[in-house]
Amino acid sequence: MASNFSHSSKYADSDLQVTLPGGRVYHLHAGVFRRASSFFAQFLAEDLGAVLSPKAKRDGVNLRYRIDLVGTETGNARFVPRTINSMGYCAPFSSLLDIENGKVPNEKLKHYDNVFRSFYNEELNIESRNLATALHDCMGMVNLAENYECVDAVRESVDVALLRQGQVLFKSISQNPVQWANFACRIRSPSIFKDSLIHLVGKWKLLEEDEHASLDSPIMEICQRKHEEFQLEKEALELRILGHYSARIQKPESDNPGRMSYANDIYSWMGLCLFRQWFAQNICQGSNLQANDGGYSFYLLLSKGGAAYLDRGQREGFHLYFPMTQKGKTVFENHLNAYKVEVQAFVAPLMANRTQLEFQDHNRPNHLVCLEVSENDYPWSAAIGVSGAGSMRD
């Protein structure tokens, strides 16, 4: 549990007193608030602070601002400035003392406390026993930060709090990329948005129409662009596979190859012929990049090679037209498998995992997770500074 930030004596030089219902008092710095929030930059402007007398300064008085949170019991929470005289004295506001008695949910005040903590890079008071409780606290912070125009000041703290959930978080992102992408955009979290975008594009055709529609407009545009680019990359890959000839059957012109030279590679050519027939049939059936899973199942077979496709049972149909001795079948199988190994190198990049989700072959996602994401793909990359006034940790 994080320490009681409101009663900390760490900031003895504070010039700002913030009072919340229930007698919660914070002794902080107006300059920190101004740097963290566009709202507080105006609300706590330098010319609005008390002008302290020379005597007050000699006595070590620093207090120039006091703001009290009121209206929480009616749902109309707002900060009200209090007058401070030249000696740094402010008349007590007694109605704040008991206003919390059962009327104001503690969690609302907890969100204010966490926002203030993030201003000072202090440990947040987040209920982290599971992802749901951590997300609840983080959402409360973000909602508050949006109201006070200080998202930039809290996003790193929120990001860290959620990332501490580790694989639980990344699994949730893989299952609910739409919701996480929208949330990541709100807090400008590169790590969460990157994983969300990879999963979104990977399962783009698997998503329902209402899921597409629930994406924020900038995210939708990015997803559509990345999906189209990814489709073109997969199409180019398939063309390279279809046009691939093993080096084992290629002949340099200087060798002046004749019929016997090519005849010696008959099993390799037959293997190539069978592979291309199978590959073309899958394209015609829409199992490739046109499939709802973006070709994941098709590419997965290619990446496994061996008996994953065109196994002995499937080859029997081929041998009905092109019978061979058992030894011939074995040689043919070896040449076909050698070609499959070369194809594996082509599809290996598609099997890469560029998310932070850890998985094995038996529990991998049912879509491709190899999408490359750069900073230019973040929705906020061209709009830095919209939600806040920059970092407060200068």
Side-chain angles (χ1 to χ4, degrees):
M1 179 67 69
S3 62
N4 193 331
F5 183 64
S6 64
H7 295 159
S8 171
S9 59
K10 180 178 179 180
Y11 307 113
D13 62 339
S14 65
D15 61 350
L16 166 66
Q17 178 177 314
V18 182
T19 305
L20 302 187
R24 303 183 185 213
V25 180
Y26 298 79
H27 300 283
L28 305 171
H29 304 89
V32 171
F33 274 57
R34 285 194 292 265
R35 290 193 296 274
S37 161
S38 298
F39 170 83
F40 286 118
Q42 300 182 39
F43 198 70
L44 299 173
E46 181 67 29
D47 59 350
L48 296 181
V51 179
L52 299 177
S53 67
K55 182 178 185 308
K57 293 179 180 179
R58 288 195 301 271
D59 292 343
V61 176
N62 298 307
L63 186 64
R64 299 182 60 223
Y65 305 86
R66 172 175 168 174
I67 56 176
D68 297 339
L69 183 66
V70 301
T72 52
E73 76 284 3
T74 63
N76 185 29
R78 64 195 184 281
F79 280 107
V80 174
R82 301 300 177 191
T83 301
I84 297 176
N85 64 21
S86 61
M87 293 301 296
Y89 175 77
C90 179
F93 188 54
S94 59
S95 62
L96 281 170
L97 299 178
D98 299 315
I99 200 171
E100 192 183 14
N101 291 337
K103 296 182 180 180
V104 180
N106 287 333
E107 67 174 26
K108 290 185 178 180
L109 302 182
K110 178 182 179 181
H111 299 329
Y112 279 93
D113 180 82
N114 277 329
V115 168
F116 299 160
R117 288 172 184 268
S118 67
F119 287 179
Y120 286 84
N121 203 22
E122 294 278 351
E123 180 185 359
L124 300 184
N125 182 15
I126 297 292
E127 180 53 69
S128 58
R129 65 177 182 270
N130 56 55
L131 179 59
T133 57
L135 181 60
H136 176 79
D137 283 349
C138 288
M139 285 293 293
M141 277 188 67
V142 173
N143 291 336
L144 205 60
E146 289 176 337
N147 290 339
Y148 291 103
E149 303 172 16
C150 57
V151 173
D152 280 353
V154 306
R155 62 183 178 85
E156 185 175 336
S157 298
V158 171
D159 203 21
V160 170
L162 290 174
L163 290 175
R164 285 176 177 170
Q165 294 293 316
Q167 290 301 305
V168 176
L169 169 66
F170 303 132
K171 184 176 182 180
S172 178
I173 293 174
S174 72
Q175 296 171 340
N176 306 285
V178 173
Q179 293 84 348
W180 281 109
N182 287 336
F183 180 72
C185 191
R186 290 177 64 187
I187 64 172
R188 296 179 178 177
S189 167
S191 53
I192 294 178
F193 184 79
K194 178 181 178 181
D195 269 38
S196 302
L197 181 59
I198 292 174
H199 289 296
L200 280 171
V201 175
K203 59 168 64 176
W204 191 244
K205 290 187 176 182
L206 294 172
L207 297 176
E208 301 292 340
E209 288 187 11
D210 61 332
E211 292 180 295
H212 283 162
S214 62
L215 281 169
D216 292 342
S217 180
I219 303 176
M220 169 69 86
E221 294 177 4
I222 293 171
C223 287
Q224 289 176 330
R225 173 175 57 81
K226 297 295 286 187
H227 177 256
E228 291 171 1
E229 293 174 354
F230 196 26
Q231 291 292 87
L232 290 175
E233 292 175 6
K234 288 183 286 185
E235 182 179 2
L237 174 65
E238 293 178 10
L239 287 172
R240 288 199 298 272
I241 293 175
L242 277 172
H244 175 62
Y245 291 93
S246 174
R248 291 177 291 107
I249 62 176
Q250 298 181 40
K251 309 294 181 184
E253 186 177 358
S254 58
D255 288 354
N256 193 25
R259 287 181 297 172
M260 289 304 299
S261 178
Y262 286 108
N264 291 334
D265 298 323
I266 184 60
Y267 286 116
S268 292
W269 282 100
M270 293 178 72
L272 175 59
C273 177
L274 179 59
F275 172 83
R276 287 185 176 177
Q277 175 187 323
W278 175 85
F279 197 93
Q281 286 174 336
N282 275 275
I283 292 178
C284 292
Q285 294 168 359
S287 302
N288 62 335
L289 60 89
Q290 301 300 333
N292 287 337
D293 65 358
Y296 165 76
S297 300
F298 179 54
Y299 301 134
L300 182 61
L301 292 178
L302 293 173
S303 72
K304 291 181 176 179
Y309 64 97
L310 288 177
D311 59 13
R312 183 167 300 178
Q314 292 175 305
R315 293 195 303 272
E316 286 304 314
F318 178 78
H319 289 309
L320 289 177
Y321 298 96
F322 306 97
M324 301 177 185
T325 64
Q326 188 56 49
K327 181 179 180 181
K329 290 181 179 180
T330 301
V331 174
F332 172 74
E333 179 182 3
N334 291 338
H335 282 281
L336 178 59
N337 285 339
Y339 189 80
K340 291 180 181 180
V341 171
E342 295 179 9
V343 171
Q344 285 178 297
F346 283 97
V347 297
L350 291 179
M351 294 297 108
N353 176 21
R354 290 194 168 88
T355 71
Q356 298 176 79
L357 177 66
E358 299 174 359
F359 54 81
Q360 304 298 325
D361 286 343
H362 68 279
N363 65 344
R364 64 180 299 133
N366 63 345
H367 55 276
L368 297 171
V369 289
C370 61
L371 186 74
E372 294 188 11
V373 179
S374 70
E375 291 184 2
N376 293 331
D377 296 318
Y378 300 150
W380 59 87
S381 61
I384 296 298
V386 172
S387 308
S391 172
M392 76 306 301
R393 302 181 181 90
D394 298 337

